[in-house]
Every structure is written in structure tokens, then in C-alpha cells.
Amino acid sequence: GQIDYLCYAGIYRDVWLKVTDPVSIGQVKVETGNEMSDAKSVSVACQFKNPCGYPVVGILLVELCSTDGLVLNQKQIEVSAESAQIKLENLAGLDLWQLDAPRLYCLKLTLMTAHGRDELAIRFGFRTSSFTVEGFFLNGKKLKIRGLNRHQSFPYVGYAMGRRAQEKDAEILKNTLKCNLVRTSHYPQSSYFLDKCDELGLLVFEEIPGWQHIGGDVWKQESISNVRRMIERDWNHPSIILW
């Protein structure tokens, strides 16, 4: 009785089991820089998974690619710890992620150590966003936000709806209802939905689970954990402008 939506039980999204070599790529955070210039940059912070506690010594290769796989830039570094940072600079000829032209790029990471090899690909975009007393600005241009709330609950199946239905909701919001922002009321929603927002140029205001209720200390600690898990899962989506 404390929130305005149904909380269904069980696992209702796709689940994968990823089998890797003992040392593999874990969390990766992509941060862009100099977005408005023709000498853009990308900083990559990479955490490695090493449950056996092996010495991490090897090579990390980062390739900046177009979405069709063409390698535009690359850099290789030696790694000797359970995390690494790498930066690609002076990147010319790259387009901004914009609502009417949501250009996406891909970072392909390859880790090679004495304990095996792992690869990971991450999509991202170059864009700036800021809220000011004068309004919201995307890539330096003032934008009037027109948005709607979205629940991911469907008749008869609850939240357990597949990829195509999640993507279709984004298409309806963008192309039929002419929104430029969607609020994930009131919980982090399917990655399929967020991926489609990236592709369509639909801005996202993402929320943690809950609405109009604050509980005790246990509740507060869980809420902090929810914030962390939400941001770490979704921090590379260019569509998300508000947490």
C-alpha cells in the first residue's frame, strides 16, 4: 500500500550465464570529453574480475568502432592490477548523439593475460546535457522537454514481456506520441527499452524502485544500494540525462 504499482514475483527478464577465463573484464565506465570540438576524447575505466586472486598481468586493447564494425581508433596498454584506465584523444570526424541523429559508437575491449582472454563491446555516444536556471540544454542547445511516464507492465504477463514489446514502447513514445523524454516510473526498466532509446534519440529519466515513501534504516540502505546498482548498470547509455 506504499507504492502505486504492482511488484511481481520471480525472475521476469532474460537471464544469461557467462562463462569466462579466470581473469575477465568486469565493470566498464565510458566517459566522453571535448564533445563539442572536432578533437573529442574517450576515457575508459575498466575493472577486471579475478575471483581466484591470480596476478593480473597482460594487455588491454581498446578499439573505437562505428556500429558497423569499422575500427576508427585504437590503443593498447599493459595491465598489472585489477583495474585499468585508458584514454583515446584527438578523435576527429565523429558525430554527436542528437535527438534527430542519435549517432552511436562502440568500444571493443580485449583483455589478454596468462590466464586467458576476454572481450566486451559497449555502445555509447558523444553528447552534453545540463539543467540550468534558463532550462535544459542538450549539446549546447536549449530543449523544451516533452515527456511521459512509462510502466513496463503489460496485460496478462506483467513485466515478463520480451524484447520486441519493450522496443515498441520506445518507438511509440518517440514516433507516435512525439515525446523527447520518458520517465521510467518508478524503477529501472528493461535494458532492451533503454537500448532502443539510445538508438531512437529518446531521452530517459531513470528512477530507482519506489515512489512517495521513505522507510527506516534498512529501507534507506537498500535504497542507496538500488541507486548504485542502477547507475553502474546503465551509466554508458547516452539517452539517460537524469537519475
Side-chain angles (χ1 to χ4, degrees), residues 130-162:
S130 60
F131 288 90
T132 76
V133 294
E134 298 175 350
F136 173 70
F137 288 79
L138 182 69
N139 296 325
K141 297 180 180 178
K142 190 174 181 180
L143 177 68
K144 175 75 171 180
I145 290 176
R146 303 183 307 276
L148 288 171
N149 300 323
R150 188 244 183 184
H151 276 293
Q152 64 177 8
S153 181
F154 291 82
Y156 307 108
V157 296
Y159 293 172
M161 187 63 86

PDB file of all heavy atoms in Angstrom, residues 130-162:
ATOM      1  N   SER A 130      22.778  19.491 -19.689  1.00  0.00           N
ATOM      2  CA  SER A 130      22.844  20.274 -18.459  1.00  0.00           C
ATOM      3  C   SER A 130      21.502  20.921 -18.175  1.00  0.00           C
ATOM      4  O   SER A 130      20.791  21.352 -19.091  1.00  0.00           O
ATOM      5  CB  SER A 130      23.931  21.352 -18.558  1.00  0.00           C
ATOM      6  OG  SER A 130      23.659  22.242 -19.626  1.00  0.00           O
ATOM      7  N   PHE A 131      21.159  20.946 -16.890  1.00  0.00           N
ATOM      8  CA  PHE A 131      19.980  21.672 -16.422  1.00  0.00           C
ATOM      9  C   PHE A 131      20.460  22.979 -15.790  1.00  0.00           C
ATOM     10  O   PHE A 131      21.324  22.971 -14.911  1.00  0.00           O
ATOM     11  CB  PHE A 131      19.214  20.846 -15.389  1.00  0.00           C
ATOM     12  CG  PHE A 131      18.496  19.668 -15.961  1.00  0.00           C
ATOM     13  CD1 PHE A 131      19.122  18.442 -16.059  1.00  0.00           C
ATOM     14  CD2 PHE A 131      17.192  19.783 -16.417  1.00  0.00           C
ATOM     15  CE1 PHE A 131      18.463  17.338 -16.589  1.00  0.00           C
ATOM     16  CE2 PHE A 131      16.520  18.696 -16.958  1.00  0.00           C
ATOM     17  CZ  PHE A 131      17.161  17.473 -17.042  1.00  0.00           C
ATOM     18  N   THR A 132      19.928  24.096 -16.251  1.00  0.00           N
ATOM     19  CA  THR A 132      20.309  25.403 -15.742  1.00  0.00           C
ATOM     20  C   THR A 132      19.050  26.183 -15.371  1.00  0.00           C
ATOM     21  O   THR A 132      17.924  25.747 -15.623  1.00  0.00           O
ATOM     22  CB  THR A 132      21.099  26.205 -16.795  1.00  0.00           C
ATOM     23  OG1 THR A 132      20.191  26.713 -17.788  1.00  0.00           O
ATOM     24  CG2 THR A 132      22.150  25.336 -17.477  1.00  0.00           C
ATOM     25  N   VAL A 133      19.252  27.356 -14.771  1.00  0.00           N
ATOM     26  CA  VAL A 133      18.100  28.206 -14.436  1.00  0.00           C
ATOM     27  C   VAL A 133      17.383  28.685 -15.697  1.00  0.00           C
ATOM     28  O   VAL A 133      16.239  29.134 -15.640  1.00  0.00           O
ATOM     29  CB  VAL A 133      18.541  29.411 -13.583  1.00  0.00           C
ATOM     30  CG1 VAL A 133      19.034  28.952 -12.228  1.00  0.00           C
ATOM     31  CG2 VAL A 133      19.619  30.222 -14.302  1.00  0.00           C
ATOM     32  N   GLU A 134      18.055  28.595 -16.838  1.00  0.00           N
ATOM     33  CA  GLU A 134      17.451  29.012 -18.099  1.00  0.00           C
ATOM     34  C   GLU A 134      16.761  27.864 -18.827  1.00  0.00           C
ATOM     35  O   GLU A 134      16.125  28.077 -19.861  1.00  0.00           O
ATOM     36  CB  GLU A 134      18.521  29.624 -19.004  1.00  0.00           C
ATOM     37  CG  GLU A 134      19.171  30.870 -18.409  1.00  0.00           C
ATOM     38  CD  GLU A 134      20.303  31.391 -19.269  1.00  0.00           C
ATOM     39  OE1 GLU A 134      20.692  30.673 -20.218  1.00  0.00           O
ATOM     40  OE2 GLU A 134      20.801  32.488 -18.998  1.00  0.00           O
ATOM     41  N   GLY A 135      16.902  26.635 -18.303  1.00  0.00           N
ATOM     42  CA  GLY A 135      16.266  25.491 -18.945  1.00  0.00           C
ATOM     43  C   GLY A 135      17.246  24.360 -19.165  1.00  0.00           C
ATOM     44  O   GLY A 135      18.388  24.388 -18.681  1.00  0.00           O
ATOM     45  N   PHE A 136      16.805  23.368 -19.911  1.00  0.00           N
ATOM     46  CA  PHE A 136      17.636  22.207 -20.213  1.00  0.00           C
ATOM     47  C   PHE A 136      18.342  22.407 -21.542  1.00  0.00           C
ATOM     48  O   PHE A 136      17.745  22.876 -22.517  1.00  0.00           O
ATOM     49  CB  PHE A 136      16.779  20.943 -20.268  1.00  0.00           C
ATOM     50  CG  PHE A 136      17.534  19.730 -20.750  1.00  0.00           C
ATOM     51  CD1 PHE A 136      18.506  19.144 -19.956  1.00  0.00           C
ATOM     52  CD2 PHE A 136      17.290  19.191 -22.009  1.00  0.00           C
ATOM     53  CE1 PHE A 136      19.228  18.040 -20.394  1.00  0.00           C
ATOM     54  CE2 PHE A 136      17.998  18.083 -22.457  1.00  0.00           C
ATOM     55  CZ  PHE A 136      18.968  17.511 -21.647  1.00  0.00           C
ATOM     56  N   PHE A 137      19.639  22.025 -21.576  1.00  0.00           N
ATOM     57  CA  PHE A 137      20.437  22.179 -22.791  1.00  0.00           C
ATOM     58  C   PHE A 137      21.029  20.832 -23.182  1.00  0.00           C
ATOM     59  O   PHE A 137      21.642  20.143 -22.362  1.00  0.00           O
ATOM     60  CB  PHE A 137      21.561  23.193 -22.570  1.00  0.00           C
ATOM     61  CG  PHE A 137      21.090  24.613 -22.473  1.00  0.00           C
ATOM     62  CD1 PHE A 137      20.533  25.088 -21.284  1.00  0.00           C
ATOM     63  CD2 PHE A 137      21.188  25.467 -23.553  1.00  0.00           C
ATOM     64  CE1 PHE A 137      20.091  26.397 -21.187  1.00  0.00           C
ATOM     65  CE2 PHE A 137      20.750  26.782 -23.466  1.00  0.00           C
ATOM     66  CZ  PHE A 137      20.193  27.247 -22.278  1.00  0.00           C
ATOM     67  N   LEU A 138      20.831  20.453 -24.429  1.00  0.00           N
ATOM     68  CA  LEU A 138      21.428  19.252 -25.000  1.00  0.00           C
ATOM     69  C   LEU A 138      22.391  19.680 -26.097  1.00  0.00           C
ATOM     70  O   LEU A 138      21.984  20.362 -27.049  1.00  0.00           O
ATOM     71  CB  LEU A 138      20.348  18.331 -25.573  1.00  0.00           C
ATOM     72  CG  LEU A 138      20.841  17.010 -26.169  1.00  0.00           C
ATOM     73  CD1 LEU A 138      21.364  16.089 -25.057  1.00  0.00           C
ATOM     74  CD2 LEU A 138      19.731  16.308 -26.957  1.00  0.00           C
ATOM     75  N   ASN A 139      23.643  19.307 -25.932  1.00  0.00           N
ATOM     76  CA  ASN A 139      24.687  19.708 -26.883  1.00  0.00           C
ATOM     77  C   ASN A 139      24.709  21.219 -27.104  1.00  0.00           C
ATOM     78  O   ASN A 139      24.877  21.713 -28.219  1.00  0.00           O
ATOM     79  CB  ASN A 139      24.484  18.985 -28.224  1.00  0.00           C
ATOM     80  CG  ASN A 139      24.650  17.475 -28.088  1.00  0.00           C
ATOM     81  OD1 ASN A 139      25.464  17.003 -27.302  1.00  0.00           O
ATOM     82  ND2 ASN A 139      23.866  16.732 -28.844  1.00  0.00           N
ATOM     83  N   GLY A 140      24.525  21.947 -25.999  1.00  0.00           N
ATOM     84  CA  GLY A 140      24.613  23.397 -26.046  1.00  0.00           C
ATOM     85  C   GLY A 140      23.379  24.112 -26.547  1.00  0.00           C
ATOM     86  O   GLY A 140      23.351  25.348 -26.581  1.00  0.00           O
ATOM     87  N   LYS A 141      22.325  23.374 -26.919  1.00  0.00           N
ATOM     88  CA  LYS A 141      21.117  23.990 -27.441  1.00  0.00           C
ATOM     89  C   LYS A 141      19.959  23.766 -26.466  1.00  0.00           C
ATOM     90  O   LYS A 141      19.751  22.656 -25.979  1.00  0.00           O
ATOM     91  CB  LYS A 141      20.763  23.406 -28.809  1.00  0.00           C
ATOM     92  CG  LYS A 141      21.815  23.684 -29.879  1.00  0.00           C
ATOM     93  CD  LYS A 141      21.407  23.085 -31.219  1.00  0.00           C
ATOM     94  CE  LYS A 141      22.451  23.355 -32.290  1.00  0.00           C
ATOM     95  NZ  LYS A 141      22.082  22.741 -33.592  1.00  0.00           N
ATOM     96  N   LYS A 142      19.209  24.820 -26.206  1.00  0.00           N
ATOM     97  CA  LYS A 142      18.083  24.731 -25.286  1.00  0.00           C
ATOM     98  C   LYS A 142      16.994  23.828 -25.864  1.00  0.00           C
ATOM     99  O   LYS A 142      16.653  23.928 -27.045  1.00  0.00           O
ATOM    100  CB  LYS A 142      17.513  26.119 -25.005  1.00  0.00           C
ATOM    101  CG  LYS A 142      16.493  26.137 -23.882  1.00  0.00           C
ATOM    102  CD  LYS A 142      16.080  27.565 -23.545  1.00  0.00           C
ATOM    103  CE  LYS A 142      15.069  27.586 -22.407  1.00  0.00           C
ATOM    104  NZ  LYS A 142      14.677  28.989 -22.088  1.00  0.00           N
ATOM    105  N   LEU A 143      16.471  22.958 -25.016  1.00  0.00           N
ATOM    106  CA  LEU A 143      15.476  21.987 -25.474  1.00  0.00           C
ATOM    107  C   LEU A 143      14.280  22.001 -24.547  1.00  0.00           C
ATOM    108  O   LEU A 143      14.415  21.868 -23.333  1.00  0.00           O
ATOM    109  CB  LEU A 143      16.086  20.576 -25.507  1.00  0.00           C
ATOM    110  CG  LEU A 143      15.140  19.441 -25.895  1.00  0.00           C
ATOM    111  CD1 LEU A 143      14.732  19.573 -27.358  1.00  0.00           C
ATOM    112  CD2 LEU A 143      15.777  18.091 -25.626  1.00  0.00           C
ATOM    113  N   LYS A 144      13.110  22.165 -25.095  1.00  0.00           N
ATOM    114  CA  LYS A 144      11.858  22.054 -24.337  1.00  0.00           C
ATOM    115  C   LYS A 144      11.534  20.568 -24.181  1.00  0.00           C
ATOM    116  O   LYS A 144      11.344  19.859 -25.167  1.00  0.00           O
ATOM    117  CB  LYS A 144      10.727  22.762 -25.078  1.00  0.00           C
ATOM    118  CG  LYS A 144       9.360  22.605 -24.432  1.00  0.00           C
ATOM    119  CD  LYS A 144       9.207  23.460 -23.193  1.00  0.00           C
ATOM    120  CE  LYS A 144       7.753  23.439 -22.706  1.00  0.00           C
ATOM    121  NZ  LYS A 144       7.579  24.269 -21.500  1.00  0.00           N
ATOM    122  N   ILE A 145      11.493  20.114 -22.940  1.00  0.00           N
ATOM    123  CA  ILE A 145      11.245  18.698 -22.686  1.00  0.00           C
ATOM    124  C   ILE A 145       9.754  18.400 -22.769  1.00  0.00           C
ATOM    125  O   ILE A 145       8.929  19.091 -22.159  1.00  0.00           O
ATOM    126  CB  ILE A 145      11.806  18.293 -21.310  1.00  0.00           C
ATOM    127  CG1 ILE A 145      13.335  18.315 -21.344  1.00  0.00           C
ATOM    128  CG2 ILE A 145      11.304  16.922 -20.889  1.00  0.00           C
ATOM    129  CD1 ILE A 145      13.984  18.012 -20.009  1.00  0.00           C
ATOM    130  N   ARG A 146       9.418  17.368 -23.524  1.00  0.00           N
ATOM    131  CA  ARG A 146       8.045  16.866 -23.616  1.00  0.00           C
ATOM    132  C   ARG A 146       8.092  15.376 -23.310  1.00  0.00           C
ATOM    133  O   ARG A 146       8.594  14.596 -24.118  1.00  0.00           O
ATOM    134  CB  ARG A 146       7.452  17.094 -25.018  1.00  0.00           C
ATOM    135  CG  ARG A 146       7.444  18.537 -25.463  1.00  0.00           C
ATOM    136  CD  ARG A 146       6.768  18.686 -26.814  1.00  0.00           C
ATOM    137  NE  ARG A 146       7.345  17.795 -27.808  1.00  0.00           N
ATOM    138  CZ  ARG A 146       8.425  18.069 -28.519  1.00  0.00           C
ATOM    139  NH1 ARG A 146       9.074  19.205 -28.337  1.00  0.00           N
ATOM    140  NH2 ARG A 146       8.879  17.214 -29.413  1.00  0.00           N
ATOM    141  N   GLY A 147       7.600  14.985 -22.160  1.00  0.00           N
ATOM    142  CA  GLY A 147       7.770  13.594 -21.769  1.00  0.00           C
ATOM    143  C   GLY A 147       6.530  12.964 -21.170  1.00  0.00           C
ATOM    144  O   GLY A 147       5.563  13.646 -20.815  1.00  0.00           O
ATOM    145  N   LEU A 148       6.592  11.656 -21.042  1.00  0.00           N
ATOM    146  CA  LEU A 148       5.545  10.871 -20.398  1.00  0.00           C
ATOM    147  C   LEU A 148       6.181   9.834 -19.481  1.00  0.00           C
ATOM    148  O   LEU A 148       7.342   9.458 -19.655  1.00  0.00           O
ATOM    149  CB  LEU A 148       4.677  10.155 -21.445  1.00  0.00           C
ATOM    150  CG  LEU A 148       3.722  11.028 -22.265  1.00  0.00           C
ATOM    151  CD1 LEU A 148       3.101  10.211 -23.390  1.00  0.00           C
ATOM    152  CD2 LEU A 148       2.639  11.629 -21.386  1.00  0.00           C
ATOM    153  N   ASN A 149       5.403   9.366 -18.506  1.00  0.00           N
ATOM    154  CA  ASN A 149       5.817   8.260 -17.650  1.00  0.00           C
ATOM    155  C   ASN A 149       5.548   6.943 -18.367  1.00  0.00           C
ATOM    156  O   ASN A 149       4.589   6.834 -19.144  1.00  0.00           O
ATOM    157  CB  ASN A 149       5.055   8.275 -16.338  1.00  0.00           C
ATOM    158  CG  ASN A 149       5.270   9.560 -15.562  1.00  0.00           C
ATOM    159  OD1 ASN A 149       6.361  10.106 -15.565  1.00  0.00           O
ATOM    160  ND2 ASN A 149       4.235  10.054 -14.924  1.00  0.00           N
ATOM    161  N   ARG A 150       6.357   5.935 -18.048  1.00  0.00           N
ATOM    162  CA  ARG A 150       6.160   4.619 -18.655  1.00  0.00           C
ATOM    163  C   ARG A 150       6.300   3.521 -17.608  1.00  0.00           C
ATOM    164  O   ARG A 150       7.306   3.447 -16.916  1.00  0.00           O
ATOM    165  CB  ARG A 150       7.192   4.394 -19.768  1.00  0.00           C
ATOM    166  CG  ARG A 150       6.946   3.132 -20.572  1.00  0.00           C
ATOM    167  CD  ARG A 150       8.042   2.103 -20.438  1.00  0.00           C
ATOM    168  NE  ARG A 150       7.796   0.932 -21.283  1.00  0.00           N
ATOM    169  CZ  ARG A 150       8.558  -0.152 -21.300  1.00  0.00           C
ATOM    170  NH1 ARG A 150       9.621  -0.236 -20.517  1.00  0.00           N
ATOM    171  NH2 ARG A 150       8.270  -1.178 -22.066  1.00  0.00           N
ATOM    172  N   HIS A 151       5.273   2.708 -17.474  1.00  0.00           N
ATOM    173  CA  HIS A 151       5.378   1.462 -16.718  1.00  0.00           C
ATOM    174  C   HIS A 151       5.632   0.330 -17.708  1.00  0.00           C
ATOM    175  O   HIS A 151       5.123   0.346 -18.829  1.00  0.00           O
ATOM    176  CB  HIS A 151       4.086   1.190 -15.941  1.00  0.00           C
ATOM    177  CG  HIS A 151       4.011   1.884 -14.614  1.00  0.00           C
ATOM    178  ND1 HIS A 151       4.836   1.557 -13.567  1.00  0.00           N
ATOM    179  CD2 HIS A 151       3.214   2.891 -14.168  1.00  0.00           C
ATOM    180  CE1 HIS A 151       4.537   2.324 -12.524  1.00  0.00           C
ATOM    181  NE2 HIS A 151       3.561   3.148 -12.867  1.00  0.00           N
ATOM    182  N   GLN A 152       6.397  -0.662 -17.290  1.00  0.00           N
ATOM    183  CA  GLN A 152       6.705  -1.780 -18.183  1.00  0.00           C
ATOM    184  C   GLN A 152       5.763  -2.966 -17.950  1.00  0.00           C
ATOM    185  O   GLN A 152       6.085  -4.095 -18.283  1.00  0.00           O
ATOM    186  CB  GLN A 152       8.150  -2.213 -18.014  1.00  0.00           C
ATOM    187  CG  GLN A 152       8.494  -2.754 -16.643  1.00  0.00           C
ATOM    188  CD  GLN A 152       9.919  -3.234 -16.514  1.00  0.00           C
ATOM    189  OE1 GLN A 152      10.744  -3.045 -17.409  1.00  0.00           O
ATOM    190  NE2 GLN A 152      10.224  -3.871 -15.413  1.00  0.00           N
ATOM    191  N   SER A 153       4.593  -2.699 -17.378  1.00  0.00           N
ATOM    192  CA  SER A 153       3.625  -3.761 -17.094  1.00  0.00           C
ATOM    193  C   SER A 153       2.660  -3.915 -18.258  1.00  0.00           C
ATOM    194  O   SER A 153       2.084  -2.938 -18.742  1.00  0.00           O
ATOM    195  CB  SER A 153       2.860  -3.423 -15.811  1.00  0.00           C
ATOM    196  OG  SER A 153       1.942  -4.435 -15.491  1.00  0.00           O
ATOM    197  N   PHE A 154       2.485  -5.158 -18.710  1.00  0.00           N
ATOM    198  CA  PHE A 154       1.616  -5.456 -19.839  1.00  0.00           C
ATOM    199  C   PHE A 154       0.454  -6.349 -19.380  1.00  0.00           C
ATOM    200  O   PHE A 154       0.612  -7.128 -18.430  1.00  0.00           O
ATOM    201  CB  PHE A 154       2.396  -6.176 -20.941  1.00  0.00           C
ATOM    202  CG  PHE A 154       3.410  -5.311 -21.641  1.00  0.00           C
ATOM    203  CD1 PHE A 154       4.666  -5.082 -21.085  1.00  0.00           C
ATOM    204  CD2 PHE A 154       3.110  -4.708 -22.854  1.00  0.00           C
ATOM    205  CE1 PHE A 154       5.598  -4.290 -21.727  1.00  0.00           C
ATOM    206  CE2 PHE A 154       4.039  -3.914 -23.508  1.00  0.00           C
ATOM    207  CZ  PHE A 154       5.281  -3.698 -22.948  1.00  0.00           C
ATOM    208  N   PRO A 155      -0.695  -6.269 -20.049  1.00  0.00           N
ATOM    209  CA  PRO A 155      -1.817  -7.132 -19.677  1.00  0.00           C
ATOM    210  C   PRO A 155      -1.442  -8.608 -19.738  1.00  0.00           C
ATOM    211  O   PRO A 155      -0.746  -9.040 -20.660  1.00  0.00           O
ATOM    212  CB  PRO A 155      -2.885  -6.787 -20.725  1.00  0.00           C
ATOM    213  CG  PRO A 155      -2.528  -5.414 -21.191  1.00  0.00           C
ATOM    214  CD  PRO A 155      -1.039  -5.347 -21.143  1.00  0.00           C
ATOM    215  N   TYR A 156      -1.871  -9.333 -18.746  1.00  0.00           N
ATOM    216  CA  TYR A 156      -1.771 -10.799 -18.668  1.00  0.00           C
ATOM    217  C   TYR A 156      -0.367 -11.322 -18.371  1.00  0.00           C
ATOM    218  O   TYR A 156      -0.219 -12.437 -17.896  1.00  0.00           O
ATOM    219  CB  TYR A 156      -2.312 -11.476 -19.935  1.00  0.00           C
ATOM    220  CG  TYR A 156      -3.702 -11.039 -20.292  1.00  0.00           C
ATOM    221  CD1 TYR A 156      -3.936 -10.220 -21.385  1.00  0.00           C
ATOM    222  CD2 TYR A 156      -4.787 -11.422 -19.508  1.00  0.00           C
ATOM    223  CE1 TYR A 156      -5.212  -9.794 -21.710  1.00  0.00           C
ATOM    224  CE2 TYR A 156      -6.066 -10.994 -19.820  1.00  0.00           C
ATOM    225  CZ  TYR A 156      -6.279 -10.182 -20.916  1.00  0.00           C
ATOM    226  OH  TYR A 156      -7.550  -9.763 -21.211  1.00  0.00           O
ATOM    227  N   VAL A 157       0.691 -10.561 -18.669  1.00  0.00           N
ATOM    228  CA  VAL A 157       2.051 -11.063 -18.475  1.00  0.00           C
ATOM    229  C   VAL A 157       2.869 -10.223 -17.483  1.00  0.00           C
ATOM    230  O   VAL A 157       4.006 -10.569 -17.180  1.00  0.00           O
ATOM    231  CB  VAL A 157       2.815 -11.147 -19.814  1.00  0.00           C
ATOM    232  CG1 VAL A 157       2.168 -12.142 -20.749  1.00  0.00           C
ATOM    233  CG2 VAL A 157       2.923  -9.774 -20.468  1.00  0.00           C
ATOM    234  N   GLY A 158       2.294  -9.123 -17.002  1.00  0.00           N
ATOM    235  CA  GLY A 158       3.029  -8.281 -16.070  1.00  0.00           C
ATOM    236  C   GLY A 158       4.270  -7.686 -16.705  1.00  0.00           C
ATOM    237  O   GLY A 158       4.222  -7.111 -17.789  1.00  0.00           O
ATOM    238  N   TYR A 159       5.418  -7.847 -16.034  1.00  0.00           N
ATOM    239  CA  TYR A 159       6.672  -7.315 -16.555  1.00  0.00           C
ATOM    240  C   TYR A 159       7.351  -8.280 -17.526  1.00  0.00           C
ATOM    241  O   TYR A 159       8.338  -7.919 -18.167  1.00  0.00           O
ATOM    242  CB  TYR A 159       7.654  -7.053 -15.405  1.00  0.00           C
ATOM    243  CG  TYR A 159       7.255  -5.954 -14.449  1.00  0.00           C
ATOM    244  CD1 TYR A 159       7.974  -5.746 -13.277  1.00  0.00           C
ATOM    245  CD2 TYR A 159       6.172  -5.121 -14.702  1.00  0.00           C
ATOM    246  CE1 TYR A 159       7.628  -4.736 -12.380  1.00  0.00           C
ATOM    247  CE2 TYR A 159       5.815  -4.127 -13.824  1.00  0.00           C
ATOM    248  CZ  TYR A 159       6.539  -3.927 -12.668  1.00  0.00           C
ATOM    249  OH  TYR A 159       6.192  -2.940 -11.783  1.00  0.00           O
ATOM    250  N   ALA A 160       6.850  -9.491 -17.616  1.00  0.00           N
ATOM    251  CA  ALA A 160       7.556 -10.550 -18.358  1.00  0.00           C
ATOM    252  C   ALA A 160       7.262 -10.484 -19.856  1.00  0.00           C
ATOM    253  O   ALA A 160       6.779 -11.436 -20.465  1.00  0.00           O
ATOM    254  CB  ALA A 160       7.187 -11.921 -17.798  1.00  0.00           C
ATOM    255  N   MET A 161       7.552  -9.351 -20.462  1.00  0.00           N
ATOM    256  CA  MET A 161       7.370  -9.168 -21.894  1.00  0.00           C
ATOM    257  C   MET A 161       8.731  -9.059 -22.558  1.00  0.00           C
ATOM    258  O   MET A 161       9.661  -8.471 -21.999  1.00  0.00           O
ATOM    259  CB  MET A 161       6.538  -7.918 -22.168  1.00  0.00           C
ATOM    260  CG  MET A 161       6.157  -7.743 -23.619  1.00  0.00           C
ATOM    261  SD  MET A 161       5.093  -9.054 -24.266  1.00  0.00           S
ATOM    262  CE  MET A 161       3.496  -8.428 -23.805  1.00  0.00           C
ATOM    263  N   GLY A 162       8.851  -9.629 -23.736  1.00  0.00           N
ATOM    264  CA  GLY A 162      10.138  -9.759 -24.396  1.00  0.00           C
ATOM    265  C   GLY A 162      10.660  -8.502 -25.061  1.00  0.00           C
ATOM    266  O   GLY A 162      10.091  -7.417 -24.948  1.00  0.00           O
TER     267      GLY A 162
END
